[in-house]
Tab-separated table of all heavy atoms in Angstrom:
chain	number	residue	atom	x	y	z
A	5	GLU	N	88.137	-15.457	52.960
A	5	GLU	CA	89.331	-14.624	53.030
A	5	GLU	C	89.046	-13.162	52.663
A	5	GLU	O	89.704	-12.264	53.141
A	5	GLU	CB	90.421	-15.201	52.123
A	5	GLU	CG	91.768	-14.597	52.325
A	5	GLU	CD	92.365	-14.791	53.715
A	5	GLU	OE1	91.939	-15.673	54.475
A	5	GLU	OE2	93.262	-14.014	54.049
A	7	GLU	N	86.345	-11.432	53.404
A	7	GLU	CA	85.508	-10.756	54.384
A	7	GLU	C	86.353	-9.960	55.371
A	7	GLU	O	87.511	-10.275	55.608
A	7	GLU	CB	84.678	-11.778	55.163
A	7	GLU	CG	83.596	-12.437	54.330
A	7	GLU	CD	82.760	-13.390	55.158
A	7	GLU	OE1	82.538	-13.112	56.349
A	7	GLU	OE2	82.338	-14.402	54.603
A	8	VAL	N	85.734	-8.961	55.958
A	8	VAL	CA	86.391	-8.184	57.002
A	8	VAL	C	85.997	-8.780	58.343
A	8	VAL	O	84.818	-9.015	58.604
A	8	VAL	CB	85.969	-6.700	56.941
A	8	VAL	CG1	86.550	-5.930	58.110
A	8	VAL	CG2	86.409	-6.087	55.629
A	9	VAL	N	86.983	-9.017	59.175
A	9	VAL	CA	86.756	-9.539	60.510
A	9	VAL	C	87.066	-8.429	61.493
A	9	VAL	O	88.148	-7.831	61.447
A	9	VAL	CB	87.664	-10.766	60.791
A	9	VAL	CG1	87.518	-11.224	62.233
A	9	VAL	CG2	87.353	-11.889	59.821
A	10	ILE	N	86.114	-8.134	62.371
A	10	ILE	CA	86.319	-7.142	63.426
A	10	ILE	C	86.578	-7.929	64.693
A	10	ILE	O	85.790	-8.798	65.065
A	10	ILE	CB	85.077	-6.241	63.621
A	10	ILE	CG1	84.616	-5.616	62.295
A	10	ILE	CG2	85.349	-5.183	64.691
A	10	ILE	CD1	85.603	-4.725	61.613
A	11	ARG	N	87.695	-7.618	65.347
A	11	ARG	CA	88.035	-8.348	66.576
A	11	ARG	C	88.735	-7.418	67.560
A	11	ARG	O	89.151	-6.307	67.205
A	11	ARG	CB	88.894	-9.563	66.263
A	11	ARG	CG	90.243	-9.232	65.693
A	11	ARG	CD	91.152	-10.461	65.677
A	11	ARG	NE	92.396	-10.210	64.984
A	11	ARG	CZ	93.422	-9.507	65.475
A	11	ARG	NH1	93.348	-8.941	66.671
A	11	ARG	NH2	94.520	-9.340	64.761
A	17	ASP	N	99.053	-6.879	67.806
A	17	ASP	CA	98.650	-6.069	66.652
A	17	ASP	C	99.394	-4.739	66.569
A	17	ASP	O	99.266	-4.022	65.570
A	17	ASP	CB	97.148	-5.755	66.718
A	17	ASP	CG	96.289	-6.994	66.706
A	17	ASP	OD1	96.592	-7.916	65.927
A	17	ASP	OD2	95.313	-7.036	67.478
A	56	VAL	N	90.194	-3.975	65.968
A	56	VAL	CA	90.865	-3.885	64.677
A	56	VAL	C	89.970	-4.538	63.636
A	56	VAL	O	89.150	-5.410	63.947
A	56	VAL	CB	92.263	-4.565	64.663
A	56	VAL	CG1	93.238	-3.809	65.550
A	56	VAL	CG2	92.184	-6.023	65.049
A	57	ALA	N	90.136	-4.083	62.397
A	57	ALA	CA	89.449	-4.686	61.251
A	57	ALA	C	90.521	-5.393	60.430
A	57	ALA	O	91.528	-4.785	60.072
A	57	ALA	CB	88.760	-3.616	60.414
A	58	VAL	N	90.294	-6.672	60.147
A	58	VAL	CA	91.267	-7.473	59.414
A	58	VAL	C	90.639	-7.941	58.109
A	58	VAL	O	89.530	-8.496	58.108
A	58	VAL	CB	91.722	-8.690	60.249
A	58	VAL	CG1	92.754	-9.513	59.494
A	58	VAL	CG2	92.257	-8.252	61.607
A	59	LYS	N	91.332	-7.685	57.014
A	59	LYS	CA	90.884	-8.132	55.696
A	59	LYS	C	92.060	-8.791	55.001
A	59	LYS	O	93.143	-8.219	54.949
A	59	LYS	CB	90.351	-6.959	54.876
A	59	LYS	CG	89.770	-7.381	53.538
A	59	LYS	CD	89.115	-6.197	52.838
A	59	LYS	CE	88.658	-6.565	51.456
A	59	LYS	NZ	87.364	-7.146	51.382
A	60	GLU	N	91.822	-9.978	54.508
A	60	GLU	CA	92.865	-10.736	53.807
A	60	GLU	C	94.137	-10.835	54.636
A	60	GLU	O	95.247	-10.678	54.134
A	60	GLU	CB	93.119	-10.140	52.423
A	60	GLU	CG	91.883	-10.209	51.535
A	60	GLU	CD	92.024	-9.470	50.222
A	60	GLU	OE1	93.022	-8.732	50.031
A	60	GLU	OE2	91.126	-9.633	49.380
A	61	GLY	N	93.957	-11.053	55.941
A	61	GLY	CA	95.084	-11.263	56.836
A	61	GLY	C	95.838	-10.019	57.256
A	61	GLY	O	96.855	-10.098	57.936
A	62	ARG	N	95.313	-8.850	56.900
A	62	ARG	CA	96.021	-7.601	57.199
A	62	ARG	C	95.094	-6.615	57.907
A	62	ARG	O	93.909	-6.528	57.575
A	62	ARG	CB	96.565	-7.111	55.881
A	62	ARG	CG	96.575	-5.726	55.580
A	62	ARG	CD	97.315	-5.455	54.257
A	62	ARG	NE	97.699	-4.088	54.319
A	62	ARG	CZ	97.183	-3.134	53.568
A	62	ARG	NH1	96.334	-3.430	52.625
A	62	ARG	NH2	97.555	-1.900	53.732
A	63	ILE	N	95.630	-5.874	58.863
A	63	ILE	CA	94.835	-4.891	59.605
A	63	ILE	C	94.609	-3.675	58.713
A	63	ILE	O	95.557	-3.055	58.247
A	63	ILE	CB	95.517	-4.499	60.924
A	63	ILE	CG1	95.509	-5.708	61.869
A	63	ILE	CG2	94.822	-3.290	61.562
A	63	ILE	CD1	96.234	-5.504	63.167
A	64	VAL	N	93.329	-3.361	58.476
A	64	VAL	CA	92.963	-2.232	57.607
A	64	VAL	C	92.231	-1.133	58.372
A	64	VAL	O	91.911	-0.098	57.804
A	64	VAL	CB	92.123	-2.697	56.398
A	64	VAL	CG1	92.924	-3.674	55.540
A	64	VAL	CG2	90.793	-3.308	56.828
A	65	GLY	N	91.960	-1.366	59.655
A	65	GLY	CA	91.287	-0.367	60.476
A	65	GLY	C	91.554	-0.638	61.944
A	65	GLY	O	91.876	-1.772	62.326
Side-chain angles (χ1 to χ4, degrees):
E5 192 62 19
E7 290 183 34
V8 174
V9 175
I10 308 299
R11 65 168 173 76
D17 300 318
V56 293
V58 181
K59 185 174 174 86
E60 298 172 351
R62 142 174 201 249
I63 292 176
V64 299

